[in-house]
Amino acid sequence: MRKALLLLLALQFQFLYPQKAIENQANWFAYTGQYKLTSKWGLHAEAQFRMDEDIQFSKQNLFRMGAIYYPNQNTNFIVGYGLINTLNSAVDDYFKEDRIWEQYQHTCKWRGAKNVMINRLRLEQRFVDKIGLQNDQVVRVETNYQNRFRYFSRHLFHLKYINENKDECYAVVQDEVFLNIGSNEVNSNFFDQNRFFVGIGIQSNSNFRIEFGYLNQLINPDSGADLMNHTLSVGLFHNLTF
């Protein structure tokens, strides 16, 4: 386990320190809810607001829904839909993306179930609008299609219990790599982006947790220099069983 984590951290060096990347600051706020309706089925709901460094305007908003199937307590599958609105600064307006996604996730607990390792595979079918100006009006010029694969590795390390109810403080280290597959019209590069996060979390009972920390996002665009966002990330996670 330690060797795998050290390898993960070592691989981040090339992502955290690329050459000639344009660097920016950002603030991301996210809510993720999973609601277990029966022993085998549930719902996924998610909202993300990715703001500028001064939290004055949103660079991107994401809304994601999905149906969850639980074959056992450590594994789940999700199929869902996402709506993403991204700011095009050239025309000062947002372009839309419709996204279908499929996901497999496995959770493993160790060190007396205090530490958690999560591995996730996700496929995305993306329909991304391209916008431009015509007669001083912002219009949709075309919609391009892209397939993308994502691998996510997340590690939670127990630090201490903070009260008699065993509410917990823990450390988080995670990474996600994005790879474009097949013939793509959105980004022709195989490597799309990487997101590395390190932070602190607080869990209140088994239903609610909040995490905050530093997120490094490296983007490899279709053209031009790489982009690196140094991001303050705050996430709220809510799990309910009915």
Side-chain angles (χ1 to χ4, degrees):
M1 189 65 65
R2 290 183 179 178
K3 291 182 179 179
L5 181 58
L6 289 173
L7 177 61
L8 174 64
L9 293 174
L11 289 173
Q12 299 320 305
F13 186 84
Q14 62 179 316
F15 295 124
L16 293 173
Y17 301 102
Q19 296 181 354
K20 298 181 180 179
I22 299 173
E23 301 187 37
N24 296 296
Q25 288 76 45
N27 295 276
W28 287 15
F29 304 94
Y31 169 83
T32 303
Q34 292 198 339
Y35 315 108
K36 198 168 186 179
L37 305 178
T38 71
S39 62
K40 294 295 185 180
W41 293 98
L43 294 175
H44 176 99
E46 185 177 347
Q48 297 188 27
F49 303 92
R50 299 167 179 174
M51 313 292 291
D52 71 304
E53 61 180 309
D54 299 318
I55 319 182
Q56 293 184 344
F57 62 91
S58 177
K59 292 183 175 181
Q60 187 179 68
N61 297 325
L62 179 149
F63 306 95
R64 190 182 281 130
M65 296 287 292
I68 311 173
Y69 173 66
Y70 302 92
N72 56 62
Q73 63 179 357
N74 297 320
T75 304
N76 68 66
F77 297 88
I78 306 179
V79 175
Y81 166 77
L83 173 64
I84 299 92
N85 296 300
T86 305
L87 179 66
N88 182 336
S89 57
V91 298
D92 194 27
D93 206 344
Y94 294 85
F95 63 88
K96 185 182 75 167
E97 174 185 343
D98 295 298
R99 183 183 299 176
I100 302 168
W101 57 287
E102 304 85 32
Q103 175 177 299
Y104 164 80
Q105 179 172 298
H106 180 74
T107 301
C108 177
K109 296 183 179 181
W110 52 287
R111 198 186 171 194
K114 290 184 177 180
N115 296 343
V116 180
M117 178 176 66
I118 298 171
N119 287 291
R120 184 178 78 195
L121 304 175
R122 180 180 291 175
L123 289 174
E124 297 175 331
Q125 297 81 50
R126 308 174 63 201
F127 300 85
V128 183
D129 287 350
K130 181 178 180 181
I131 59 175
L133 288 175
Q134 292 184 3
N135 300 321
D136 295 326
Q137 298 291 324
V138 178
V139 298
R140 178 172 60 86
V141 177
E142 60 185 3
T143 299
N144 293 315
Y145 178 75
Q146 180 186 58
N147 295 300
R148 190 165 67 179
F149 170 78
R150 298 165 59 165
Y151 170 65
F152 176 79
S153 181
R154 173 173 163 89
H155 302 263
L156 310 182
F157 301 95
H158 171 81
L159 297 178
K160 63 179 296 186
Y161 294 114
I162 57 179
N163 56 35
E164 295 180 354
N165 296 326
K166 289 193 173 182
D167 292 341
E168 177 188 9
C169 180
Y170 59 91
V172 187
V173 179
Q174 67 186 44
D175 185 71
E176 186 171 22
V177 62
F178 297 61
L179 303 174
N180 298 315
I181 55 178
S183 177
N184 291 292
E185 299 174 333
V186 178
N187 187 346
S188 60
N189 296 314
F190 174 65
F191 170 68
D192 185 85
Q193 63 175 280
N194 191 83
R195 297 177 187 172
F196 176 73
F197 174 81
V198 57
I200 296 293
I202 296 175
Q203 178 171 332
S204 177
N205 59 63
S206 60
N207 297 327
F208 174 85
R209 68 173 72 217
I210 186 169
E211 296 176 1
F212 56 92
Y214 169 72
L215 173 70
N216 181 284
Q217 181 191 28
L218 175 65
I219 302 174
N220 182 28
D222 192 50
S223 61
D226 289 349
L227 304 175
M228 178 180 286
N229 292 319
H230 301 283
T231 304
L232 171 65
S233 176
V234 180
L236 178 65
F237 301 85
H238 194 201
N239 296 314
L240 285 178
T241 300
F242 293 92

